[in-house]
Amino acid sequence: MDMQSEILELELDAIVKKSKDNIVITDGNGVVLRASPNNYAIYGSSTDDLIGKSVYQLEEDHIFSPSVTIKVLNERKEVRVMQNTKTGRSVMAIGLPIFDRSNEIIRVISFSHDLTEIEQLKEKFKQLQKKIERYETEIQELRDNEQIEGNTILKSKAIQQIWQLIKRVAKTDASVVFLGESGVGKTHFARALHQASERANEAFIDVNCSAIPESLFESEMFGYEPGSFTGASKKGKTGLIELADQGTLFLDEIGEIPLSMQSKLLKVIQDKEVILIGGVRPKKVDFRLITSTNQNLSEMIKHGSFRQDLFYRLSVISITIPPLRERKEDIAMLAYYYLQKFNEKYRMRKSLHPATIDKLIHYHWPGNVRELQNMMERLVITSETNIIHPDNLPSDIQMDRTQKTDSLLLKNMKGKTLREAMEEVEILWLRRAVKQCKTTYEMAEFLGISQSNVVRKLKKYRIKAKPYQHL
């Protein structure tokens, strides 16, 4: 062998041995001449097992399955095939024919690249896609169950039942009174009832009875003829009741209507006619009446401040909206709804930290939905970071009820003896331990006293531990 041939041999040997791809070289009959050392890892056969063997036999033995070399010999061109080896590998094999001057194949060189990891990644990706599809389905189901219809959060069962009742009642012209605390959304549900009715395309006249002075109530509600009294407009004025003709008249805070006006309102409801101040001829009016109040009308009837006959006319259908503290399922969705609303309004991108949501859910919301709405608007405007953390919340919301009780205890210590104050402190710390720890042993470690001492003090101060905390 001359020097040039020896160098070429060394170069070829180095390429075969050092290549990251598996290389197999056969002659024109498919007999293996050279093979990379990494054949064993991929095909489960060592170099010595392959050299001198025919690729036809190796394919029968499922070493090369299928053999890319055989395909090259048959098709006389470059071929690519995917192989699954006995070692469980996925391999991409490329076969290249080498022709002599007579156009006969004298060599076939195949390169095999292990794609097992890529195939595994593809499989994982498919699994992830399936999971994503499943999650999307579950999310859609949650959205169906927790839908927002007409800007109404329908997560809690109580609100879902109210919504179904509203849709049924909307098909009739029956008078409806919404009951509930201030801020629960009575006006919102009144508008929803109007929008679901056949009068949806007509006027919705919203009258806050508490905002109209008693001296102006009659003129505002019934209207007046031109020059009917001193200071009256020369053109006269159409009353709010007449404006609601063919539409819906919503009397918010009906409990605030002056007693002197209740009989006149009752007559309008009964006769569907209104007489303007200074007028003599009644005008026909056709309206759907919806009212709301946060007062106990039955008690007002007992005290003589509300007419019983008017009450019966108003409350053909009575719907009570529960306070927000009694439908905690709605709090998170309402918070996210108003967050999105005010983000759009103020062109912000604020989000809520999970701990913030937890604080909102555990707050008792004395101002109900109105308080939550106002607070979310304030947080979107005032929070310095895009993530709204618990420390951005008002102090009343940051403190849970236990903390508020503890704070009150500390204030009440003023003027007490040292012994009394020490007992108050013990109670405070024991309550914290009960809340934070799982067992009385953990409480003991938390408080720095013995477990038996913890049990004794809990009994002394009649502090109830959870069943599992006695372990």
Side-chain angles (χ1 to χ4, degrees):
M1 182 182 294
D2 59 21
M3 182 63 69
Q4 187 67 27
S5 298
E6 186 176 350
I7 291 173
L8 289 173
E9 182 74 14
L10 290 172
E11 288 177 348
L12 180 58
D13 190 58
I15 290 171
V16 172
K17 289 182 177 179
K18 300 299 181 181
S19 175
K20 291 183 179 180
D21 286 335
N22 175 265
I23 298 176
V24 175
I25 301 175
T26 72
D27 61 18
N29 297 315
V31 176
V32 178
L33 303 176
R34 291 178 183 274
S36 300
N38 56 7
N39 262 285
Y40 185 79
I42 297 177
Y43 293 105
S45 296
S46 66
T47 302
D48 293 339
D49 293 334
L50 297 178
I51 292 176
K53 298 285 184 65
S54 168
V55 290
Y56 295 97
Q57 182 62 46
L58 292 171
E59 186 178 57
E60 287 184 10
D61 294 341
H62 300 290
I63 304 298
F64 299 146
S65 180
S67 169
V68 69
T69 301
I70 293 175
K71 286 185 175 291
V72 171
L73 293 171
N74 291 335
E75 299 178 22
R76 297 176 58 80
K77 64 179 182 179
E78 179 180 333
V79 176
R80 294 170 181 256
V81 297
M82 284 294 298
Q83 297 174 330
N84 294 311
T85 72
K86 290 168 56 175
T87 58
R89 318 296 289 182
S90 296
V91 177
M92 168 66 78
I94 302 173
L96 302 172
I98 297 177
F99 298 91
D100 62 12
R101 292 178 181 179
S102 302
N103 201 32
E104 295 295 329
I105 297 177
I106 58 172
R107 294 286 187 273
V108 176
I109 303 176
S110 63
F111 303 88
S112 302
H113 185 69
D114 190 353
L115 300 179
T116 304
E117 291 184 5
I118 295 176
E119 290 298 312
Q120 289 174 346
L121 287 173
K122 285 174 65 177
E123 183 60 30
K124 287 182 180 179
F125 179 71
K126 288 181 181 178
Q127 294 299 324
L128 284 173
Q129 281 187 314
K130 289 181 180 179
K131 284 186 178 180
I132 289 171
E133 289 175 1
R134 186 172 74 250
Y135 291 152
E136 286 177 345
T137 301
E138 291 174 357
I139 289 170
Q140 187 58 50
E141 289 176 357
L142 288 172
R143 285 174 177 168
D144 292 340
N145 294 332
E146 303 171 5
Q147 60 184 326
I148 299 175
E149 186 171 345
N151 299 330
T152 303
I153 304 299
L154 301 178
K155 182 175 175 65
S156 63
K157 289 184 178 179
I159 297 301
Q160 289 180 28
Q161 291 172 354
I162 289 171
W163 189 255
Q164 293 301 320
L165 177 58
I166 285 174
K167 289 196 291 187
R168 290 197 301 271
V169 171
K171 299 176 183 179
T172 72
D173 256 357
S175 298
V176 177
V177 59
F178 286 101
L179 307 174
E181 297 178 5
S182 179
V184 294
K186 298 186 292 293
T187 300
H188 172 83
F189 285 105
R191 288 185 180 275
L193 176 56
H194 170 73
Q195 290 298 323
S197 73
E198 294 180 357
R199 299 175 184 263
N201 294 327
E202 303 296 335
F204 178 84
I205 304 300
D206 183 354
V207 182
N208 187 339
C209 297
S210 64
I212 303 175
E214 185 173 351
S215 59
L216 299 177
F217 199 90
E218 185 175 8
S219 62
E220 290 293 320
M221 291 296 296
F222 296 91
Y224 55 83
E225 295 287 357
S228 57
F229 56 87
T230 303
S233 171
K234 293 181 181 180
K235 296 181 180 180
K237 181 178 180 178
T238 303
L240 295 170
I241 294 175
E242 191 176 349
L243 289 175
D245 187 34
Q246 304 304 315
T248 299
L249 177 65
F250 173 53
L251 301 180
D252 191 15
E253 302 302 342
I254 188 67
E256 300 294 334
I257 188 172
L259 187 61
S260 59
M261 291 294 103
Q262 292 180 22
S263 59
K264 292 187 176 182
L265 178 61
L266 177 61
K267 183 172 177 58
V268 171
I269 296 171
Q270 290 175 333
D271 300 340
K272 295 293 184 180
E273 294 180 342
V274 61
I275 300 177
L276 279 64
I277 298 174
V280 292
R281 298 180 63 180
K283 291 185 177 182
K284 286 288 183 182
V285 285
D286 176 21
F287 58 87
R288 167 73 173 277
L289 181 64
I290 304 175
T291 57
S292 76
T293 182
N294 60 7
Q295 300 187 50
N296 189 326
L297 296 182
S298 298
E299 288 297 318
M300 292 181 68
I301 291 170
K302 290 179 183 179
H303 293 112
S305 57
F306 201 87
R307 293 179 62 105
Q308 189 173 40
D309 48 2
L310 177 59
F311 171 77
Y312 290 137
R313 281 287 181 179
L314 299 177
S315 57
V316 175
I317 305 293
S318 179
I319 300 176
T320 301
I321 312 298
L324 191 55
R325 63 181 173 275
E326 293 180 8
R327 47 188 177 103
K328 290 186 176 294
E329 308 99 303
D330 294 334
I331 293 174
M333 284 194 72
L334 282 165
Y336 284 120
Y337 170 76
Y338 288 121
L339 177 72
Q340 180 181 356
K341 177 180 177 180
F342 294 122
N343 270 337
E344 292 174 357
K345 180 178 179 180
Y346 297 109
R347 297 181 182 179
M348 300 285 192
R349 299 181 65 183
K350 302 296 176 70
S351 61
L352 294 170
H353 190 279
T356 305
I357 287 293
D358 186 64
K359 289 288 185 182
L360 296 180
I361 291 172
H362 288 90
Y363 181 55
H364 61 289
W365 298 106
N368 292 295
V369 179
R370 186 183 296 122
E371 181 184 4
L372 174 59
Q373 178 182 357
N374 293 339
M375 191 203 66
M376 291 307 302
E377 183 172 15
R378 184 169 64 253
L379 289 174
V380 168
I381 295 171
T382 61
S383 61
E384 295 179 356
T385 60
N386 280 338
I387 298 177
I388 300 173
H389 293 276
D391 56 6
N392 296 125
L393 297 170
S395 58
D396 281 353
I397 300 180
Q398 289 187 44
M399 295 176 64
D400 59 28
R401 291 186 178 182
T402 302
Q403 290 173 311
K404 291 175 184 176
T405 303
D406 295 345
S407 178
L408 184 61
L409 281 173
L410 290 171
K411 290 179 181 178
N412 290 339
M413 286 182 188
K414 188 176 181 180
K416 294 186 177 181
T417 65
L418 176 61
R419 181 177 179 179
E420 290 171 338
M422 291 297 293
E423 287 181 348
E424 296 284 6
V425 171
E426 280 192 337
I427 291 171
L428 187 154
W429 279 93
L430 284 166
R431 284 178 175 169
R432 286 182 178 173
V434 167
K435 182 180 178 183
Q436 297 182 28
C437 302
K438 294 181 178 179
T439 66
T440 51
Y441 292 97
E442 286 188 15
M443 292 184 212
E445 185 177 354
F446 177 79
L447 297 170
I449 59 178
S450 66
Q451 186 265 352
S452 58
N453 208 1
V454 169
V455 175
R456 182 177 60 79
K457 289 182 180 293
L458 290 174
K459 289 181 179 179
K460 176 183 176 182
Y461 297 117
R462 297 181 181 179
I463 298 174
K464 291 184 178 180
K466 298 170 186 175
Y468 59 80
Q469 288 178 320
H470 291 294
L471 300 177

